[in-house]
Amino acid sequence: VQGKTWPIIEVDFRQLLLESAARADLSAAQKEVKASTETFFDSFPQRYLPSVEATVTHYIDPSITIASDIMAPIPQNGGEYQWTAIVRKGTRVNPLEHYRPVTAMLFFDGRDEAQLQFVRDVLKVNPMRVVPVETAGANVKTLSKSFKRPIFYANEAMMARFKVEHLPSLLYPASGEYALYLGMTAFAAPYKQAELEAVWPVNTKAVVMGAKSTAVSESDRKAIGTLLNINPKK
C-alpha cells in the first residue's frame, strides 16, 4: 500500500438491487403488463383509406439498388481468406428474376363489414394462396379468432414499400408483359370474388383501366420457368 487509504462508503450495487426488488410491488407490475398486453392490438394507428370508384391496376417495379458493396470472405489459393466485394454498390436487382411468389397479399379495412365479407369469400376459394393483411388498424387478434386463421397487419414500412392507397387491394406477381412487376389492384364496391379471380390468377385476357392484363398460358409458364430455372407446374 502506497499512501493513505479510506474505507469504501458506496453501498454495494448488488445490495441496492436486492433492496429495490424488495420494495417493488410485483402484483401491480403484473397487472400493468397484463393490461398492456390486452390493449396492445387496440393501439395500432388508425388509417382511413378510401375505396376506388372503378377497379384499377397499377404496377410496381420491385427492383432494389444496392447502396453499398456486399462483402464476403473468399478463400484464396494459399488457403487464407480475403474480404472481397461479391456484389458491387449500384447493382440493380429484381427479385422476380430469381423467385416468383405463389401467394398474394390482400390489404383490407377490418372495420368495414363489406370488405370483411369480401376477404371471407376470397379465403374460401383461395385459403392457401391469399394472405389477408389488415391495414386500417382494427384488432388483428380479434379478427384472427373470427377467421380462425392468422390475420396480419400492415406496418408503415409495408405501406410505403407497396404504396397502399386504397382498400381493398390485392398485391400479386403480375404476368405476361408485366411478369417482372408486382400488380396492385384496388377493387371497387360491390367487392366480388370473381373480380379478384379475373386479375389473379388471370384466366382470361382483360383490360383494367387502360392497363393490359394477359393470361398466363402453358407456353408462358414454360418460358418463365426456363428463364427463372423453376418447375412451371409448381
Side-chain angles (χ1 to χ4, degrees), residues 103-117:
T103 57
M105 291 191 290
L106 180 56
F107 297 90
F108 67 98
D109 186 336
R111 304 164 304 189
D112 186 332
E113 185 54 43
Q115 294 190 36
L116 287 173
Q117 186 58 52

Side-chain angles (χ1 to χ4, degrees), residues 126-137:
N126 294 297
M128 304 302 295
R129 287 175 56 80
V130 175
V131 178
V133 183
E134 205 290 322
T135 310

Side-chain angles (χ1 to χ4, degrees), residues 2-42:
Q2 302 293 328
K4 187 176 180 179
T5 62
W6 289 266
I8 298 174
I9 62 173
E10 289 84 5
V11 179
D12 191 322
F13 186 68
R14 293 169 295 179
Q15 180 181 341
L16 287 176
L17 289 178
L18 291 174
E19 292 176 353
S20 177
R23 293 193 301 268
D25 186 346
L26 297 181
S27 177
Q30 289 176 344
K31 290 180 180 178
E32 183 179 349
V33 170
K34 183 178 179 180
S36 175
T37 302
E38 291 176 346
T39 60
F40 173 76
F41 292 103
D42 293 318

Side-chain angles (χ1 to χ4, degrees), residues 44-117:
F44 290 170
Q46 298 294 299
R47 304 187 183 107
Y48 296 89
L49 301 180
S51 297
V52 291
E53 296 183 359
T55 297
V56 60
T57 297
H58 69 270
Y59 295 93
I60 302 169
D61 183 353
S63 299
I64 58 175
T65 301
I66 307 302
S68 59
D69 291 346
I70 297 178
M71 310 293 289
I74 304 299
Q76 306 300 306
N77 294 332
E80 70 279 4
Y81 283 79
Q82 179 178 343
W83 284 90
T84 306
I86 58 175
V87 180
R88 291 293 183 183
K89 175 182 178 180
T91 301
R92 189 171 176 80
V93 179
N94 186 328
L96 292 177
E97 294 179 347
H98 307 280
Y99 174 75
R100 296 190 65 78
V102 296
T103 57
M105 291 191 290
L106 180 56
F107 297 90
F108 67 98
D109 186 336
R111 304 164 304 189
D112 186 332
E113 185 54 43
Q115 294 190 36
L116 287 173
Q117 186 58 52

